[in-house]
């Protein structure tokens, strides 16, 4: 490499010496002829040839210096030959010679500036091409350079003939696709393209021959060119030289200038792993959906079992009581009637629970109605009369504040309250509390919510229990299912309410239901 540069530099130096020597000798000859011969022509004009020779090796400043020297020689020759006796003809010849030298110098300087600018542009173009080639070769995105010029001309000729639908034309002309593929030439491909498809497919094969879904994708490209679109993008299945199939994202940008179709860059991104990941994610989501449905069925079954336990237990107790009244002699018919009425009431509650569970599976999950909380609490305590008597527990309703009716699903609210009172009774039973009182209070929580609090005189809640109290299947009871409180909170949150628990300052646990005073529509209208 160094030897080549040395030879080039020596050759340029020799050429420079030859041009300078020739210019000097020519200038000397012109001066001699112009000064010491009788030739009357404008011999000094020939200095232009010396300028042309020096323009090959001298820069702008050197060229100006040479031009000044030629002007000096011309004037000196005129002074030596004519002195002060110069006639009009000789003076005109001097003026012509000097004008020629000035014009030639100006043109040579302009040419030199243009040559310098052109050289700079060529250098910038080479640098740009080098940068482009470096990016093209080193990028990890698969790139093909393809010559679409012949294909573009062919498609434009078909368009002039009235062809607008590539698929229809392809069906009518079976050899069309193969002919179009043969019009595409390969200019270059980078390493990433060769890694995706292999050396043969990336450097030799036509685009659609490397694509498993070839004809559809290729016809899409042809239609894009025919329609004059600037960008074509599509997913396709590519086949490598080894026969391996890969999922790729294909992208082609078409230029506005038809001449630029000689170098079209085709971009391919290997999205095989991404597609496999998405497929695995979709399958996992499907499995999760199945699991969620199974869990929902399990939760619903547990909820039904939990919620139906109380009315079914009451039905059993009332049935036994009814039989005892019938076994008396004579039968106590008024008592029998009361037991039968309780059977009907508890059966109706069981039916309502089942209907509410069915509503949870439909878009209209329960019908809301205006509920009087005071009346609801009193009705609930009547329903739990047997449980309270069996546990020897009392209910304190002294803190029930008068609150306007609120929108709620009665059976849901009643079941939640029953659940909380039942838990309170069971907590006091297990703790063997000497004082067994369940205090129920209603109050305004804020301008938009009311609260119903259930406070017992049991042992209260441990720190561990408070953290997991509303977690499904968590229970502190030996025979508990751990679903009651979780279901209660879920029901309330679905209606815009909340359920919280803590220890009361006077001992025991307190559960607080927080319920919205207005329905969603009423709240929106108020705002």
């Amino acid at each position: 490499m160094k030897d080549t540069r040395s030879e080039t530099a020596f050759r340029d130096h020799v050429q420079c010496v030859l041009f300078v020597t020739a210019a000097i000798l020519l200038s000397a000859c012109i001066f001699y002829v112009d000064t010491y011969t009788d030739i009357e022509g404008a011999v000094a004009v020939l200095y232009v040839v010396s300028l042309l020779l020096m323009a090959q090796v001298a820069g702008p400043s050197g060229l100006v210096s040479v031009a000044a020297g030629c002007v000096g020689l011309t004037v000196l020759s005129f002074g030596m030959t004519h002195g002060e006796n110069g006639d009009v003809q000789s003076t005109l010849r001097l003026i012509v010679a000097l004008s020629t030298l000035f014009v030639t110098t100006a043109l040579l300087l302009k040419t030199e500036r243009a040559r310098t600018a052109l050289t700079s542009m060529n250098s910038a173009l080479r640098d740009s091409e080098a940068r482009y080639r470096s990016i093209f070769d080193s990028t990890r995105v698969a790139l093909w350079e393809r010559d679409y010029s012949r294909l573009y001309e062919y498609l434009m000729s078909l368009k002039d003939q009235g062809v607008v639908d590539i698929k229809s034309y392809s069906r009518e002309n079976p050899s069309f696709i193969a002919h179009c593929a043969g019009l595409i030439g390969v200019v270059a491909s980078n390493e990433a393209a060769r890694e995706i498809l292999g050396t043969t497919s990336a450097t030799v094969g036509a685009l659609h021959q490397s694509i498993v879904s070839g004809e559809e994708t290729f016809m899409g490209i042809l239609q894009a060119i025919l329609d004059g679109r600037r960008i074509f993008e599509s997913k396709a299945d590519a086949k490598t030289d080894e026969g391996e199939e890969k999922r790729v994202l294909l992208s082609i940008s078409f230029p506005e200038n038809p001449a630029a179709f000689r170098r079209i860059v085709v971009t391919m991104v290997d999205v095989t792993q991404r597609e496999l990941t998405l497929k695995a994610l979709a399958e996992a989501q499907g499995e999760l959906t199945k699991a969620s449905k199974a869990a929902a069925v399990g939760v619903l079954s547990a909820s039904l079992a939990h919620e139906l336990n109380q009315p079914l237990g009451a039905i059993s107790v009332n049935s036994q009581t009814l039989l005892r009244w019938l076994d008396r002699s004579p039968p106590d018919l008024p008592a029998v009637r009361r037991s039968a009425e309780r059977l009907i009431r508890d059966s109706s509650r069981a039916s309502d629970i089942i209907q509410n569970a069915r509503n949870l599976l439909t878009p209209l999950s329960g019908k809301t109605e205006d509920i009087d909380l005071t009346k609801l609490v009193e009705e609930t305590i009547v329903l739990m009369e047997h449980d309270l008597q069996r546990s020897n527990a009392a209910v304190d309703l002294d803190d029930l504040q008068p609150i306007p009716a609120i929108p709620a699903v009665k059976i849901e609210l009643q079941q939640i309250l029953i659940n909380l009172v039942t838990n309170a009774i069971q907590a006091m039973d297990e703790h063997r509390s000497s004082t067994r009182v369940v205090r129920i209070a209603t109050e305004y929580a804020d301008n938009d919510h009311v609260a119903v609090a259930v406070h017992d005189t049991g042992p209260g809640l441990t720190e561990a229990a408070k953290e997991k109290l509303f977690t499904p299947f968590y229970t502190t009871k030996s025979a508990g299912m751990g679903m009651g409180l979780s279901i209660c909170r879920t029901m309330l949150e679905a209606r815009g309410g909340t359920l919280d628990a803590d220890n009361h300052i006077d001992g025991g646990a307190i559960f607080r239901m927080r319920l919205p005073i207005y329905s969603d529509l009423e709240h929106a209208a108020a705002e």
Side-chain angles (χ1 to χ4, degrees):
M1 187 70 177
K2 291 183 179 180
D3 293 340
T4 303
R5 285 200 297 267
S6 298
E7 290 177 3
T8 303
F10 177 74
R11 188 164 54 249
D12 292 342
H13 177 70
V14 171
Q15 187 180 31
C16 180
V17 170
L18 290 176
F19 274 111
V20 171
T21 302
I24 294 173
L25 291 176
L26 180 60
S27 297
C29 291
I30 294 171
F31 180 78
Y32 178 82
V33 172
D34 191 26
T35 306
Y36 298 107
T37 65
D38 296 332
I39 299 175
E40 297 296 332
V43 177
V45 173
L46 297 176
Y47 283 119
V48 170
V49 180
S50 297
L51 285 176
L52 293 175
L53 290 173
M54 290 302 296
Q56 305 302 314
V57 295
S61 59
L63 191 61
V64 171
S65 299
V66 172
C70 292
V71 170
L73 290 176
T74 302
V75 174
L76 178 61
S77 176
F78 180 82
M80 290 176 64
T81 54
H82 299 286
E84 298 179 355
N85 300 320
D87 55 12
V88 176
Q89 289 185 354
S90 60
T91 302
L92 289 175
R93 286 196 296 270
L94 174 64
I95 293 173
V96 169
L98 293 176
S99 299
T100 302
L101 289 174
F102 282 123
V103 171
T104 302
T105 302
L107 292 175
L108 288 175
L109 289 174
K110 183 178 180 180
T111 302
E112 178 62 20
R113 286 195 297 270
R115 186 183 68 82
T116 302
L118 183 60
T119 301
S120 177
M121 290 176 60
N122 286 335
S123 177
L125 183 61
R126 286 194 298 271
D127 291 342
S128 177
E129 178 67 20
R131 286 194 300 270
Y132 166 76
R133 187 55 54 187
S134 174
I135 295 172
F136 183 87
D137 290 334
S138 62
T139 183
R140 297 313 302 159
V141 177
L143 300 175
W144 289 340
E145 269 189 315
R146 303 241 158 181
D147 184 353
Y148 277 64
S149 56
R150 292 191 299 162
L151 176 63
Y152 177 79
E153 293 174 359
Y154 175 62
L155 292 177
M156 291 303 102
S157 66
L158 292 180
K159 188 175 183 179
D160 293 339
Q161 297 173 20
V163 176
V164 294
D165 188 349
I166 291 296
K167 289 185 178 181
S168 299
Y169 188 79
S170 176
R171 286 193 296 268
E172 297 170 0
N173 300 271
S175 62
F176 171 71
I177 295 297
H179 177 69
C180 289
L183 297 176
I184 301 174
V186 177
V187 178
S189 61
N190 66 356
E191 182 63 27
R194 293 188 286 273
E195 288 179 2
I196 289 182
L197 298 180
T199 304
T200 303
S201 296
T203 57
V204 179
L207 177 62
H208 83 289
Q209 294 173 339
S210 303
I211 304 296
V212 176
S213 53
E215 293 212 349
E216 285 295 324
T217 303
F218 191 59
M219 282 192 290
I221 296 172
L222 299 180
Q223 189 67 54
I225 297 175
L226 192 69
D227 295 341
R229 298 205 299 267
R230 293 291 166 255
I231 296 176
F232 173 82
E233 288 185 349
S234 176
K235 286 183 180 179
D237 296 318
K239 180 178 289 186
T240 67
D241 290 345
E242 293 77 20
E244 180 185 359
E245 292 186 7
K246 294 184 177 181
R247 189 69 170 170
V248 297
L249 179 63
L250 190 69
S251 178
I252 307 176
S253 295
F254 298 110
E256 294 184 11
N257 184 7
F261 273 79
R262 287 192 296 271
R263 295 180 67 176
I264 298 294
V265 176
V266 180
T267 304
M268 280 203 320
V269 178
D270 187 353
V271 293
T272 305
Q273 292 302 320
R274 176 178 175 272
E275 292 293 316
L276 291 176
T277 302
L278 291 176
K279 182 179 179 182
L281 179 61
E283 292 176 352
Q285 288 175 337
E287 293 297 324
L288 180 60
T289 301
K290 292 180 182 179
S292 298
K293 290 180 179 179
V297 172
V299 169
L300 182 61
S301 300
S303 173
L304 284 173
H306 184 276
E307 301 298 337
L308 289 174
N309 185 60
Q310 199 277 334
L312 291 179
I315 289 173
S316 176
V317 171
N318 285 315
S319 298
Q320 294 172 7
T321 303
L322 184 147
L323 290 175
R324 285 201 304 271
W325 294 130
L326 287 175
D327 288 340
R328 286 195 173 190
S329 181
D332 190 343
L333 295 181
V336 169
R337 182 179 181 85
R338 288 195 299 272
S339 296
E341 289 174 347
R342 288 172 180 166
L343 283 172
I344 294 172
R345 180 195 64 195
D346 292 329
S347 299
S348 178
R349 283 189 55 243
S351 176
D352 289 341
I353 291 171
I354 294 174
Q355 182 60 44
N356 189 62
R358 292 179 63 186
N359 289 337
L360 291 174
L361 301 177
T362 63
L364 299 175
S365 56
K367 182 180 180 181
T368 61
E369 55 182 301
D370 291 335
I371 303 297
D372 184 335
L373 281 180
T374 302
K375 186 176 180 181
L376 179 72
V377 171
E378 293 173 347
E379 289 180 356
T380 303
I381 297 307
V382 172
L383 291 174
M384 301 195 67
E385 181 181 350
H386 289 292
D387 297 280
L388 292 167
Q389 290 177 355
R390 186 172 59 249
S391 180
N392 195 26
V395 177
D396 183 356
L397 304 179
D398 292 341
D399 293 331
L400 293 179
Q401 296 183 13
I403 293 176
I406 64 170
V409 179
K410 182 177 180 180
I411 185 63
E412 288 182 0
L413 208 55
Q414 194 170 63
Q415 286 305 119
I416 294 171
L417 191 57
I418 289 174
N419 198 302
L420 296 181
V421 174
T422 301
N423 285 348
I425 294 172
Q426 292 173 351
M428 293 186 294
D429 286 344
E430 291 184 6
H431 186 56
R432 300 183 184 278
S433 302
S434 57
T435 301
R436 302 186 181 187
V437 179
V438 180
R439 297 183 176 90
I440 302 178
T442 58
E443 61 183 4
Y444 282 98
D446 52 47
N447 292 335
D448 297 324
H449 296 84
V450 296
V452 179
V454 179
H455 170 215
D456 62 56
T457 56
L461 303 171
T462 65
E463 292 300 321
K466 283 196 288 186
E467 291 181 1
K468 299 180 179 179
L469 198 59
F470 298 99
T471 303
F473 303 109
Y474 173 78
T475 181
T476 58
K477 307 169 190 174
S478 58
M481 298 179 60
M483 291 301 302
L485 291 176
S486 174
I487 293 170
C488 289
R489 172 175 272 189
T490 302
M491 284 183 177
L492 283 174
E493 289 178 347
R495 304 295 179 185
T498 59
L499 177 61
D500 299 303
D502 205 346
N503 289 321
H504 196 275
I505 190 171
D506 296 330
I510 181 169
F511 287 78
R512 181 174 281 104
M513 290 190 292
R514 192 166 175 267
L515 306 166
I517 297 176
Y518 309 104
S519 65
D520 293 341
L521 292 176
E522 291 173 335
H523 191 275
E527 292 179 347

